[in-house]
Amino acid sequence: MAYLDWVNSPKDLKKLNNDELGELCDEIRRLMIEVVSKNGGHLASNLGAVELTVALHKVFNSPNDQIVFDVGHQSYTHKILTGRKDSFSTLRTEGGISGFTRPDESEHDIFSSGHSSTSVSSAIGLAKAKTLKGEKGKVIAVIGDGALTGGLAYEGLNNNECSNLIVILNDNNMSISPNVGTMAKNLTNIRTSPKYFTFKSKITRFIAKIPKIGSQITRSITAINQKIRKRVYKNTFFEDLGFRYYGPIDGHNLEDLIDALTVAKAHSHSVLIHINTVKGKGYEFAEKDPSLFHGIGKFNIETGEPLSKGETFSSAFGKSLVGFADKDSRICAVTAAMSTGTGLVEFSKKYPQRFFDVGIAEQHAVTFSAGLAKNGMVPFFAVYSTFLQRSYDQLIHDIAMQNVKVVFGIDRAGFVGEDGESHQGLFDTAFLMSIPNLTVFAPTYFDELSSMMYQSIYKENGACAIRYPRGGECEKPEGYEYQKEPYTVFGNREGDTCLVTYGREFCQCYAALDTLENAFIVKLNRIKPIDASVVDELKNAKRIFFFEEGIKSGGVGEHFASLLAENSVNAEYRHIAVTDEFVKQAPVKSQFKKYHLDTQSIINEVNNE
């Protein structure tokens, strides 16, 4: 790789001309495809942002100029250019570099991110702090058009009062109304020319110095310019919010990008640059199916085929939901821009009138679902556990207080592996346990998931949540059948050692049961409310171990402990769960072991080894 071999920091880009930078972009794409095919990751979004990132580091001086990537799932080029090229092969591996921006990795990663629509707000805060401290340098927020479906982005844009702020709108799906016509394109080319900008600045300063009438002429010219732009540009939304707007610009044309960024850097006013890019650029399979390659596991480079296949809880959820919708016209499906990830593609095709993708707007999704329910529909909101966190107030105020029937399919609950701290589904149990008028189920197997969906629709009065893990189901015990009870007991009920658990963790506990003496398992199928009669199962227990794939503080195990105390159960009680920390990226198997939730750790814990 002719150029990538010696590009070790953003400073090295300053020595390259545009043709050489183009070659560098091709080399970066090849490296990206090779590593992601082995490690998994967010490929399509990163392939689309290569030229933009190279241009940013060519024009600006990071970290003095601070670049904030929204979500951070398009920062691979940034990582390669900021000293992590040699460690890029460790992307998303245990002990390796993160798939998102992380300040503990590099001074060039200004903000830790993993959730959408946060960049503008954080960038405004960074820019304002620079101003207050008298520091020079720009703050650049890179945000995708998808993230502009989230309300937080607009709260930030509406609060724009910074002269040192630049917002890059990376538009790869034209969700913003396109500017139409050759005139708009030509005007943008002129306005983003450094020569034009320099000439304009000199003329403006000259006119302003004319005695008595200079400032009046300048104001008149500015007003005329604004009127012309509004006539030529069909979209003046960002100008109305106080930004100098440039665009749309070809996001894969390095010369145009560098010119536009150079002009923006010279401005003493907030600027928004609107660029158009192609998701998956440079890799045919990713360009054809950007949704599949948005977040993908290991795949075959030659064919684009994922290496891991098979039914998952997400697909099982989607299949069951279609089955219920076939028989019940009230059933609706809601997603926050995650129809593929949550298994709703089939539903969206078969029942498009009852399928709602509201964009990356989890708060709206929850309250919208409440409205559907209030008027007699039965909405299922399928959402990753980590993203449900964003709508806690709506869960309380618009769901529980209204006591409406909305069913939450909480996907990716528990450990999620290589996505790391921002995506672990470990907090939902703690915040859901605190909400009245809400029933929470935790299936271990696909048939339990379907049965709990049925219970949520037809047997429960208010809102329900069903939390299930990423990936497939574990092996079932021979002869196992779900009894639709709040809990199930396995093993010798007269034993003096009881293991209590729920969801996927049951598989680890059951595997340990044969090795443990005089022990039995209480598997909670419904974790909220915990059925009080479970106490009767513990009358002979001298030791109770609660194993939980979730955060310890406020988790199900703590509520179970309260139930024991209220019923004067005097057995020794141990609660094994994730303590007060964020779980780093690693294979799920490794995460189970680290937090003493794997089979061998359970055996060791019970045997005091």
Side-chain angles (χ1 to χ4, degrees):
M1 291 191 175
Y3 297 104
L4 193 55
D5 284 344
W6 62 269
V7 172
N8 297 305
S9 76
K11 292 180 181 179
D12 295 328
L13 295 181
K14 316 294 183 185
K15 307 167 188 175
L16 301 178
N17 61 38
N18 287 352
D19 289 338
E20 291 168 333
L21 291 175
E23 291 289 336
L24 175 65
C25 290
D26 292 339
E27 294 175 12
I28 289 171
R29 279 195 171 89
R30 287 197 293 271
L31 176 61
M32 245 185 236
I33 294 168
E34 179 185 345
V35 170
V36 176
S37 72
K38 297 174 182 176
N39 299 2
H42 292 88
L43 186 60
S45 54
N46 279 288
L47 290 174
V50 175
E51 285 85 3
L52 169 61
T53 310
V54 167
L56 281 168
H57 281 297
K58 170 74 171 178
V59 173
F60 295 98
N61 299 305
S62 177
N64 183 53
D65 294 311
Q66 297 176 311
I67 304 170
V68 181
F69 290 92
D70 206 282
V71 184
H73 68 333
Q74 76 284 57
S75 62
Y76 292 1
T77 301
H78 168 77
K79 287 175 180 282
I80 291 169
L81 296 176
T82 53
R84 286 163 281 184
K85 174 187 64 180
D86 293 337
S87 59
F88 192 67
S89 61
T90 71
L91 180 76
R92 291 168 46 87
T93 62
E94 187 170 6
I97 63 173
S98 171
F100 302 91
T101 48
R102 290 287 181 269
D104 58 358
E105 278 186 14
S106 170
E107 64 178 345
H108 298 279
D109 288 8
I110 306 304
F111 229 81
S112 177
S113 61
H115 289 182
S116 170
S117 312
T118 64
S119 61
V120 176
S121 294
S122 58
I124 289 174
L126 290 164
K128 183 61 69 176
K130 274 184 173 288
T131 300
L132 292 172
K133 294 169 67 178
E135 294 180 355
K136 295 181 179 180
K138 296 288 187 178
V139 179
I140 305 99
V142 181
I143 184 169
D145 56 320
L148 279 187
T149 60
L152 179 59
Y154 294 96
E155 293 177 31
L157 290 169
N158 188 53
N159 194 234
N160 165 40
E161 296 176 348
C162 302
S163 61
N164 53 348
L165 173 70
I166 299 170
V167 176
I168 311 292
L169 171 55
N170 180 13
D171 184 350
N172 51 41
N173 203 28
M174 292 309 297
S175 65
I176 303 299
S177 300
N179 298 318
V180 179
T182 304
M183 181 64 78
K185 182 178 180 181
N186 289 338
L187 180 57
T188 292
N189 290 340
I190 293 171
R191 293 176 72 214
T192 55
S193 165
K195 290 181 180 179
Y196 166 77
F197 183 76
T198 302
F199 174 76
K200 177 185 171 184
S201 298
K202 288 180 179 178
I203 293 297
T204 301
R205 288 196 299 270
F206 174 78
I207 293 174
K209 291 178 182 179
I210 298 175
K212 296 183 180 180
I213 62 171
S215 59
Q216 183 178 345
I217 293 173
T218 301
R219 286 196 297 271
S220 298
I221 292 173
T222 300
I224 292 169
N225 283 342
Q226 289 175 345
K227 288 180 180 179
I228 291 173
R229 288 201 301 271
K230 285 191 176 184
R231 294 292 293 270
V232 174
Y233 287 97
K234 303 302 179 185
N235 181 359
T236 61
F237 173 76
F238 299 111
E239 293 262 352
D240 293 339
L241 287 172
F243 288 91
R244 294 286 189 269
Y245 172 87
Y246 298 112
I249 294 168
D250 182 354
H252 301 297
N253 185 313
L254 278 166
E255 184 177 354
D256 288 353
L257 284 170
I258 290 170
D259 283 353
L261 293 172
T262 301
V263 168
K265 184 178 181 180
H267 257 297
S268 57
H269 198 283
S270 56
V271 176
L272 188 140
I273 301 176
H274 180 180
I275 71 170
N276 291 143
T277 59
V278 176
K279 248 188 169 183
K281 177 73 173 178
Y283 184 54
E284 179 184 4
F285 301 109
E287 287 190 38
K288 287 182 177 178
D289 195 349
S291 294
L292 174 65
F293 284 88
H294 171 75
I296 191 169
K298 299 176 183 180
F299 64 93
N300 184 311
I301 293 179
E302 301 301 322
T303 65
E305 287 293 316
L307 298 183
S308 59
K309 296 182 179 180
E311 189 167 18
T312 64
F313 273 95
S314 303
S315 60
F317 173 85
K319 188 183 298 182
S320 292
L321 192 59
V322 168
F324 290 123
D326 288 341
K327 301 172 184 176
D328 191 334
S329 61
R330 299 175 303 154
I331 303 295
C332 298
V334 180
T335 180
M338 298 295 290
S339 59
T340 301
T342 56
L344 294 179
V345 172
E346 183 184 352
F347 190 104
S348 69
K349 292 177 179 178
K350 192 168 185 180
Y351 297 108
Q353 299 303 315
R354 289 189 269 156
F355 171 76
F356 306 98
D357 185 343
V358 301
I360 306 175
E362 291 84 2
Q363 291 173 292
H364 167 62
V366 172
T367 304
F368 168 69
S369 297
L372 286 172
K374 199 74 174 178
N375 264 356
M377 305 305 287
V378 181
F380 277 71
F381 176 30
V383 58
Y384 289 8
S385 170
T386 183
F387 300 136
L388 185 63
Q389 297 164 188
R390 297 157 68 91
S391 53
Y392 182 59
D393 177 64
Q394 287 69 35
L395 283 167
I396 294 173
H397 187 271
D398 302 327
I399 299 294
M401 281 179 60
Q402 315 299 328
N403 199 27
V404 292
K405 181 177 287 299
V406 174
V407 184
F408 296 89
I410 306 178
D411 204 329
R412 269 65 165 179
F415 297 122
V416 298
E418 291 81 1
D419 279 343
E421 299 100 312
S422 62
H423 281 59
Q424 306 292 355
L426 301 170
F427 300 98
D428 60 87
T429 48
F431 66 74
L432 292 174
M433 294 298 285
S434 66
I435 301 176
N437 292 341
L438 180 65
T439 301
V440 185
F441 295 100
T444 304
Y445 304 106
F446 295 156
D447 60 342
E448 292 181 350
L449 170 63
S450 183
S451 181
M452 291 171 181
M453 292 169 71
Y454 178 89
Q455 287 177 258
S456 298
I457 300 169
Y458 301 111
K459 300 298 182 182
E460 301 293 335
N461 292 322
C464 296
I466 308 168
R467 63 186 311 274
Y468 43 91
R470 183 179 194 174
E473 62 182 359
C474 60
E475 187 178 349
K476 273 187 186 179
E478 187 176 349
Y480 176 85
E481 288 187 16
Y482 176 52
Q483 301 298 318
K484 301 181 183 178
E485 298 295 335
Y487 61 87
T488 310
V489 180
F490 296 83
N492 178 15
R493 276 182 156 91
E494 303 302 317
D496 62 9
T497 299
C498 179
L499 315 183
V500 187
T501 191
Y502 60 90
R504 176 169 59 176
E505 179 60 17
F506 166 74
C507 304
Q508 303 289 338
C509 289
Y510 190 84
L513 192 60
D514 286 343
T515 308
L516 300 174
E517 294 184 7
N518 210 18
F520 66 102
I521 297 174
V522 171
K523 174 183 180 292
L524 300 179
N525 302 313
R526 189 185 70 198
I527 58 176
K528 181 185 184 299
I530 301 172
D531 196 283
S533 68
V534 72
V535 174
D536 296 335
E537 302 289 347
L538 306 171
K539 56 189 176 183
N540 296 318
K542 296 179 180 178
R543 298 188 304 159
I544 301 172
F545 296 84
F546 198 108
F547 292 95
E548 180 167 12
E549 187 189 346
I551 199 74
K552 186 173 186 177
S553 179
V556 183
E558 286 196 353
H559 289 264
F560 196 84
S562 295
L563 181 66
L564 297 181
E566 290 166 5
N567 287 274
S568 302
V569 177
N570 296 318
E572 177 188 346
Y573 184 75
R574 296 278 321 267
H575 183 194
I576 298 88
V578 177
T579 50
D580 193 23
E581 62 183 289
F582 293 106
V583 175
K584 295 186 179 298
Q585 66 197 44
V588 170
K589 184 177 180 180
S590 179
Q591 290 168 341
F592 270 103
K593 184 176 181 180
K594 179 178 179 180
Y595 293 96
H596 309 291
L597 294 168
D598 65 303
T599 298
Q600 188 57 53
S601 296
I602 292 168
I603 294 169
N604 294 344
E605 191 75 40
V606 173
N607 292 336
N608 293 317
E609 295 177 356

